[in-house]
Amino acid sequence: MSDSLDSRQLDRYSRQLMIDGFDESDQRTLLSSRVLVVGAGGLGSAAIQYLAAAGVGTIGIVDEGRVKRSNLQRQIVHGVDDIGEPKVDSAARFVDALNPDVTVEKHPVRVTSETVESLLEGYDAVVDALDNFPARFLVNDAARLAGIPFVHGAVYGFEGQMMAFRPGGPCYRCLLPAAPDDDAIPSGEPMGIFPTLPGTIGCLQATETLKHCLEVGEVLDDRLLRYDASDATFTRTPLERRPECPVCGPDGITAVDDVDYDDRCRISE
Ligand SMILES: [Zn+2]
């Protein structure tokens, strides 16, 4: 990558270059940043769109699924012509059309304890745009071990939540040590989602990811943000590290593939 922005880039990014405290070197930082988005569904669509539009130079996209008609109500990087296509291909076409400065790295694979560490390798941050607990725990664990932020987001019905879990602060397992009962919160099953909700939460995830990459503002890494779309309320709840956390605690795990995960993602010795 060249050291200075060309005239097309100066024009393209002019509105963010006008922000106080944001200059060409910040844009070059974004262009050399590498962000992995795990999940190309509703949350992923919103995060991918804004990360790409902002000029994050490399976006990895992990998704093993194909586009279904029922996705289109909220997964806005996919269209009718993409039905049946791999989501990573559809999302990559969207990014290519939006911003030629962005390189997409496609990972059409399942997140497992065997794949997760190599998937995260070389990325500066990972966006949790997943819809199931086992993969979410695995990515949290691997991200913490890799020393990169795990920018969590989740949606259900009218409600969503997000937080950037960064090394030094609490991790996702400090919030939720293991998956709740399936009948409490469905995981990986089709569920009702208000169409704009993943857009709101995914956009917040993109915002916190950009702030982390740019080292600007106060990244939301010490409290959980909850959003209830039904009455338009945001609440922020402080979260601290748990000393007994099996991942970020003093006796935490040292490698994901050394861990015995049970079906509820508890970590057994
Ligand atoms: Zn923890």
Side-chain angles (χ1 to χ4, degrees), residues 113-114 117 145 253-261 267-269:
S113 56
E114 285 79 37
E117 282 171 322
L145 292 174
I253 60 170
T254 54
V256 165
D257 53 10
D258 285 346
V259 175
D260 234 350
Y261 289 96
I267 294 176
S268 4
E269 292 302 316

Side-chain angles (χ1 to χ4, degrees), residues 7-269:
S7 59
R8 181 191 55 80
Q9 290 172 319
L10 287 170
D11 186 20
R12 174 173 190 110
Y13 304 115
S14 57
R15 289 305 185 95
Q16 57 212 51
L17 291 166
M18 286 176 197
I19 297 171
D20 248 1
F22 189 105
D23 60 20
E24 277 192 56
S25 73
D26 294 306
Q27 189 60 53
R28 289 199 300 274
T29 297
L30 284 188
L31 288 165
S32 62
S33 294
R34 300 174 48 82
V35 175
L36 185 69
V37 179
V38 191
L43 294 167
S45 287
I48 289 164
Q49 277 199 333
Y50 278 100
L51 293 172
V56 169
T58 304
I59 300 177
I61 302 174
V62 183
D63 203 306
E64 55 163 349
R66 289 174 181 268
V67 179
K68 299 179 198 153
R69 195 176 302 276
S70 62
N71 298 151
L72 304 183
Q73 152 260 24
R74 66 195 183 285
Q75 300 186 11
I76 53 176
V77 296
H78 312 299
V80 174
D81 292 343
D82 302 316
I83 292 171
E85 295 292 315
K87 285 189 177 179
V88 288
D89 290 344
S90 171
R93 279 196 295 273
F94 184 96
V95 172
D96 286 345
L98 178 63
N99 189 350
D101 286 343
V102 181
T103 301
V104 174
E105 295 177 346
K106 299 189 277 187
H107 305 282
V109 295
R110 192 173 154 78
V111 177
T112 67
S113 56
E114 285 79 37
T115 62
V116 69
E117 282 171 322
S118 65
L119 280 171
L120 266 58
E121 213 170 291
Y123 289 100
D124 303 315
V126 52
V127 175
D128 164 20
L130 287 155
D131 65 354
N132 70 92
F133 282 111
R136 177 167 288 145
F137 282 104
L138 283 173
V139 178
N140 169 74
D141 299 358
R144 184 53 58 111
L145 292 174
I148 62 172
F150 172 74
V151 186
H152 161 66
V155 289
Y156 175 54
F158 279 88
E159 290 171 39
Q161 65 180 38
M162 70 86 42
M163 178 168 168
F165 295 99
R166 298 202 293 177
C171 80
Y172 181 67
R173 280 190 192 269
C174 295
L175 173 69
L176 196 65
D181 288 337
D182 253 6
D183 48 2
I185 303 177
S187 174
E189 299 291 321
M191 55 184 182
I193 299 175
F194 197 69
T196 56
L197 182 64
T200 306
I201 299 296
C203 191
L204 288 164
Q205 290 176 274
T207 302
E208 296 309 306
T209 303
L210 293 174
K211 282 161 60 185
H212 169 80
C213 292
L214 292 165
E215 299 179 3
V216 297
E218 288 176 29
V219 176
L220 186 73
D221 60 3
D222 62 351
R223 57 202 70 199
L224 181 74
L225 182 70
R226 287 203 174 91
Y227 170 54
D228 186 341
S230 70
D231 60 3
T233 48
F234 284 93
T235 51
R236 302 199 306 171
T237 313
L239 182 72
E240 291 187 351
R241 282 177 81 172
R242 284 191 310 117
E244 69 277 22
C245 175
V247 174
C248 72
D251 301 319
I253 60 170
T254 54
V256 165
D257 53 10
D258 285 346
V259 175
D260 234 350
Y261 289 96
D262 73 6
D263 58 354
R264 301 271 303 285
C265 309
R266 288 191 203 91
I267 294 176
S268 4
E269 292 302 316

